[in-house]
Amino acid sequence: ALGCLRSGAGLTTVATAKPCVPIVALTHPAMMTQPLMADYRGRIDARALAKLKQLASRSDVVAIGPGMG
């Protein structure tokens, strides 16, 4: 997400597991956050795929980083 901001992407939204949203919001206040369903370990749940598709359809660029696998 920092790379997006540094490259001049403008509005940047971080979609992350719901338990991680406060951490992202606190450490990177210039980024929008979108909570995703989390499993019992706090990881992004497979049920979040529909939400991710919806977010991607409204975006010009989608970057996927660590933690997705």
Side-chain angles (χ1 to χ4, degrees):
L2 285 174
C4 291
L5 287 177
R6 289 181 183 141
S7 67
L11 178 63
T12 300
T13 302
V14 176
T16 189
K18 190 172 182 174
C20 298
V21 168
I23 298 165
V24 173
L26 180 65
T27 57
H28 303 295
M31 296 179 201
M32 304 283 290
T33 56
Q34 181 64 52
L36 299 174
M37 294 175 78
D39 66 11
Y40 71 97
R41 291 184 179 173
R43 300 176 300 186
I44 296 172
D45 192 279
R47 295 173 292 168
L49 183 58
K51 184 68 170 181
L52 284 169
K53 287 180 178 180
Q54 177 190 35
L55 291 168
S57 72
R58 300 187 321 227
S59 302
D60 294 323
V61 175
V62 176
I64 300 175
M68 294 298 292

